[in-house]
Amino acid sequence: MNDQKKVKSGSLIFIFITILVDIMGVAIIIPVFPTLIKSLTGLELNEAGLWGGLLISSFAIMQFLFAPLMGELSDRFGRRPILFLSLGGLGLDYVFHAFAPTIAWLFVGRMLAGVFGASHTVATAYIADISTPENKAKNFGMIGAAFGLGFFLGPMIGGFCAQWGYQVPFLVAAAMALMNLIFGLLVLPESLPKEKRRAFDYKKAIPGVSLIHLSKYKSLGLFIIAFVLVHLAGQVMHSVWSFFTMEAYGWDEALVGISLGVVGFLVGVVQGGLIGWVVKKFGQKKVIMLGFCLWSLGMIGFAFAMNEVILYIVLIPYVLGGIAGPTLQGLMSNTVPDTEQGNLQGALTSMISLTAVIGPLIYTALFFYFSDKTEGIYFPGAPFVLAAVFLTIGTIFAYAALKRMP
């Protein structure tokens, strides 16, 4: 029994690091994104924001296309080989990023990162494999903690290392991915035994098709809609935070990196240490509804924050709202059998990626329009208002789904 606990503990550490490396690969370039795009294109800040949205969307499009395939392959061949394939590819792609000479090559790098970054699908399926129904919310909270730490370390490393050149942050991310691959080869056991594997179904590898299959499970369709709306709202942070804070408060890359570091640290604390306790004390349903409401409040606060002090105060309800995400994901995971975990996580990751295609295009376009001082209404916080609207609609769907549950 103790040996099994040690194996599970080591596996969770590896999965944590895998997701951490994935997120750092996205976050590490956020502080330098505006300056990097301006230097490659010669555009002004609000116009560079549009290019930033396109780059983020190119990453997400590839993740949308490949996440269901990764999930389906892991249900057929096991989690271990697919995780290692993704990590190796991701490490090599970061090296490619480091030496991309033009914005066109940067697009190629972002797209390849989207393909290999789909390892998130397999990592969440692995967690579902080794978790009990009772501790899934807590273990999925570990994913949130990895997200938080990734957005804590990524921007800070990116902002700090950029002083030696834009290549350095990517080389650091490449080294981390390849070191984690070596660590996994040494410590990670397979989580999906051969008797629980199933034949590869090419139809389920097509984005969106698996959702039709999964809709047969009670309330899952409504939960997925709420889950998608949460992530669509959350894309506002990745898409316009750097541009918004530079425009509204005159921040530079270092201050943007510090702010994102604070956000990531707080998210990691809440999702890594608070979720298990609040779910046990209040139950999944209350935690989900409370989290949605706090998220919405935080987004409205960002939109109307008159200065940096208010902005940091508003972070409190925003990060506390994070108790809803892993709890909702754990609830959805408990509705499907073990043989469908890869399929479910692939479908969810694909939908998250779709929001990362749509969200940046919407939010950066809103920022471009409302940050133009020469015409129309000047309101650079407009994207956060739209995010709050998406969260409010998601709250309604989550409530409807929870009402249908026993």
Side-chain angles (χ1 to χ4, degrees):
M1 183 65 71
N2 288 334
D3 289 341
Q4 287 182 338
K5 286 184 178 179
K6 288 180 180 179
V7 169
K8 284 189 176 182
S9 177
S11 299
L12 284 171
I13 291 171
F14 173 80
I15 296 299
F16 178 87
I17 297 173
T18 297
I19 297 171
L20 175 64
V21 170
D22 280 358
I23 302 307
M24 284 182 62
V26 177
I28 204 166
I29 66 170
I30 291 177
V32 298
F33 230 18
T35 305
L36 176 60
I37 295 169
K38 285 171 66 179
S39 67
L40 290 174
T41 62
L43 298 172
E44 294 299 319
L45 184 64
N46 63 333
E47 295 172 314
L50 294 175
W51 280 100
L54 291 172
L55 278 165
I56 295 171
S57 293
S58 67
F59 172 93
I61 287 170
M62 300 309 291
Q63 199 166 65
F64 169 72
L65 294 174
F66 280 85
L69 175 63
M70 291 291 190
E72 192 64 19
L73 286 172
S74 76
D75 278 344
R76 171 63 184 88
F77 298 106
R79 318 300 187 204
R80 198 171 184 268
I82 310 303
L83 274 172
F84 294 157
L85 173 67
S86 297
L87 273 174
L90 200 58
L92 294 175
D93 182 62
Y94 287 147
V95 176
F96 181 90
H97 274 74
F99 299 102
T102 66
I103 196 166
W105 283 108
L106 196 60
F107 269 102
V108 175
R110 284 284 85 189
M111 292 171 73
L112 289 173
V115 173
F116 296 115
S119 61
H120 176 75
T121 296
V122 190
T124 51
Y126 193 106
I127 288 177
D129 291 340
I130 65 174
S131 302
T132 64
E134 292 76 24
N135 67 12
K136 275 184 181 176
K138 179 182 176 181
N139 287 345
F140 279 127
M142 187 193 69
I143 297 177
F147 266 81
L149 187 58
F151 276 105
F152 171 63
L153 295 175
M156 294 184 72
I157 292 172
F160 177 74
C161 293
Q163 63 184 308
W164 294 293
Y166 292 121
Q167 297 92 343
V168 177
F170 294 112
L171 294 175
V172 171
M176 288 190 62
L178 295 175
M179 284 191 293
N180 193 35
L181 171 60
I182 296 170
F183 175 57
L185 288 169
L186 295 174
V187 305
L188 188 73
E190 177 57 60
S191 65
L192 188 68
K194 291 184 178 180
E195 61 271 17
K196 289 188 176 181
R197 299 177 193 178
R198 57 180 175 79
F200 181 85
D201 187 342
Y202 73 92
K203 292 181 180 178
K204 293 180 183 178
I206 300 172
V209 172
S210 57
L211 292 175
I212 300 172
H213 169 74
L214 292 168
S215 63
K216 67 183 181 182
Y217 298 106
K218 187 176 181 180
S219 297
L220 189 57
L222 293 174
F223 280 133
I224 289 175
I225 293 173
F227 185 81
V228 168
L229 287 168
V230 163
H231 283 275
L232 181 58
Q235 292 301 327
V236 72
M237 298 295 287
H238 313 157
S239 304
V240 301
W241 182 266
S242 298
F243 299 97
F244 167 70
T245 52
M246 287 181 175
E247 176 69 25
Y249 311 118
W251 287 2
D252 59 14
E253 291 90 343
L255 289 174
V256 171
I258 290 170
S259 69
L260 288 170
V262 172
V263 173
F265 174 76
L266 293 175
V267 168
V269 169
V270 169
Q271 300 208 5
L274 189 61
I275 288 178
W277 179 79
V278 295
V279 169
K280 185 176 180 180
K281 185 171 181 63
F282 300 106
Q284 290 178 317
K285 295 182 180 180
K286 289 181 180 178
V287 168
I288 289 171
M289 294 308 300
L290 177 61
F292 270 82
C293 293
L294 288 170
W295 259 335
S296 302
L297 179 62
M299 288 297 185
I300 291 294
F302 289 148
F304 294 97
M306 301 299 294
N307 55 56
E308 295 98 322
V309 174
I310 296 175
L311 187 75
Y312 275 103
I313 292 173
V314 170
L315 282 177
I316 296 172
Y318 172 77
V319 297
L320 286 175
I323 59 177
T327 309
L328 179 60
Q329 192 167 5
L331 200 61
M332 289 189 289
S333 178
N334 286 337
T335 64
V336 303
D338 292 343
T339 55
E340 296 281 7
Q341 290 297 330
N343 187 25
L344 171 63
Q345 302 306 329
L348 293 179
T349 302
S350 182
M351 290 300 100
I352 292 172
S353 301
L354 184 60
T355 68
V357 176
I358 299 169
L361 298 177
I362 296 173
Y363 296 130
T364 53
L366 270 178
F367 176 80
F368 171 76
Y369 180 80
F370 283 101
S371 62
D372 187 348
K373 297 178 181 178
T374 62
E375 56 181 84
I377 301 171
Y378 181 73
F379 181 38
F384 295 99
V385 174
L386 180 60
V389 171
F390 288 139
L391 281 167
T392 301
I393 299 171
T395 304
I396 295 170
F397 277 100
Y399 179 77
L402 291 169
K403 287 289 285 184
R404 293 175 59 180
M405 293 187 67

